[in-house]
Amino acid sequence: MRVFLAGATGAIGRPLAERLLAEGHEVVGTTRDEARAAVLARRGVEPVVLDAFDAPAVHAAVATARPEVVIHQLTTLPQDPTPKSMAAAVSLNARLRRETVPTYVDAARAAGARRVIAQSISFVTKPDGRPVHDEEAPLWADEPSQAENVEGVIALEAAVREGTTDPTHPIEGVVMRYGFFYGPGTWYAPDGALATMIRKRRYPIVGSGEGRSSFIHIDDAVDATVRALDPALPSGTYNITDDEPVRAADWIPEAARVMGAKPPRHVPAWLARRVAGDVVVHYGTTLPGNANGRARAAIPGWAPRPWRQGFAEVLG
Ligand SMILES: NC(=O)c1ccc[n+]([C@@H]2O[C@H](COP(=O)([O-])OP(=O)(O)OC[C@H]3O[C@@H](n4cnc5c(N)ncnc54)[C@H](OP(=O)(O)O)[C@@H]3O)[C@@H](O)[C@H]2O)c1
């Protein structure tokens, strides 16, 4: 199958391109950088150098590639996610979702592609006391510290959905709401920024530690995405997370343990809020986990490894 991969150089784009090529697909992959394009070409990807905000360039590239499936894996996130660097990244990342996903959906439809698949995130639902949310839970757009990020997510998902219902040129549309990536090339790689903070005891348990994270090994995210090329998978939104949402009070000590580090410190929520901000306190104390039942039922053969096993493999 011919696949157009927007973002072939990112944390998921790299292993996804490799896996697609290994399965015999033809991959046209984008980057903004000539040197990275040369690396892609050496790996067997047909590289395209473009900035996704340049809509005419996107249209021309997709039309030239004539892909069956277009996959959008664009983000613009820091390698070192401090509260400051994340706050600085939010606006551009939201703009990337808001503006470039509609462009890619339009370009895919104009080029006669069958399906578009787009990267979203699962950890944006509104806390309501339930520990785990499925895809129907409302997103938390009415919380000021989350609004810009969540509005970007809402816009990207709406663009994919609207592509499926367009009366003239409908296209199949799949939104992959990935959980927190871990594994090679992510924040939770052994040399990744968050793993390093945990090792140095600079990633504390905040307050109650009741915030629940749903993790996904990057290879299991890739596996779900490759399986989503299958026309049998219905258009829709899928949580791509493991089976076991886990409390911060449980996963941070386990990550420290497998790395042979000292247990994490505890800090009260008021102090974390003052030092690191509302989002960090939310993740630590009130974040709902995510249920993956819809994806498990709809994607035959997809079996994400449990975070505890994956952490041991990656960080042990
Ligand atoms: N669900 C999650 O937990 C999640 C999701 C995403 C990212 N992250 C984390 O965020 C960190 C950084 O992510 P990353 O390594 O994937 O890097 P990134 O800087 O977010 O880039 C991702 C991809 O988007 C492309 N891109 C960004 N802006 C673009 C634009 N204006 N036009 C065209 N392409 C554009 C990049 O291409 P070029 O730079 O080559 O042009 C790259 O291929 C990683 O640690 C990752 O694990 C986590």
Side-chain angles (χ1 to χ4, degrees), residues 7-12 14 30-33 36 50-53 73-79 96 119-121 123 178-181 185-187:
T9 54
I12 184 158
R14 279 189 309 272
T30 75
T31 173
R32 288 162 298 177
D33 181 86
R36 285 197 284 273
L50 58 73
D51 190 310
F53 290 115
Q73 295 288 9
L74 303 179
T75 55
T76 176
L77 294 170
Q79 296 301 333
L96 196 62
Q119 171 181 169
S120 187
I121 46 178
F123 37 91
Y178 301 120
F180 290 105
F181 288 158
T186 73
W187 292 323

Side-chain angles (χ1 to χ4, degrees), residues 115-131:
R115 167 164 294 205
V116 65
I117 300 171
Q119 171 181 169
S120 187
I121 46 178
S122 66
F123 37 91
V124 281
T125 59
K126 179 172 179 160
D128 58 7
R130 290 180 298 149

Side-chain angles (χ1 to χ4, degrees), residues 63-181:
T64 305
R66 299 199 64 75
E68 181 172 340
V69 174
V70 172
I71 307 180
H72 184 289
Q73 295 288 9
L74 303 179
T75 55
T76 176
L77 294 170
Q79 296 301 333
D80 187 0
T82 62
K84 203 170 159 194
S85 68
M86 285 303 282
V90 161
S91 288
L92 187 56
N93 201 46
R95 195 181 144 223
L96 196 62
R97 288 173 170 150
R98 216 170 43 236
E99 294 182 18
T100 72
V101 176
T103 304
Y104 268 104
V105 172
D106 287 349
R109 289 171 46 229
R114 172 177 59 80
R115 167 164 294 205
V116 65
I117 300 171
Q119 171 181 169
S120 187
I121 46 178
S122 66
F123 37 91
V124 281
T125 59
K126 179 172 179 160
D128 58 7
R130 290 180 298 149
V132 178
H133 284 171
D134 65 15
E135 293 86 346
E136 300 305 316
L139 304 190
W140 206 17
D142 56 356
E143 157 59 35
S145 64
Q146 301 277 335
E148 195 171 20
N149 188 31
V150 175
E151 278 160 14
V153 169
I154 289 171
L156 101 76
E157 296 190 356
V160 175
R161 209 169 36 246
E162 282 159 19
T164 66
T165 56
D166 182 274
T168 48
H169 276 300
I171 188 167
E172 299 164 3
V174 173
V175 170
M176 310 237 93
R177 280 193 190 162
Y178 301 120
F180 290 105
F181 288 158

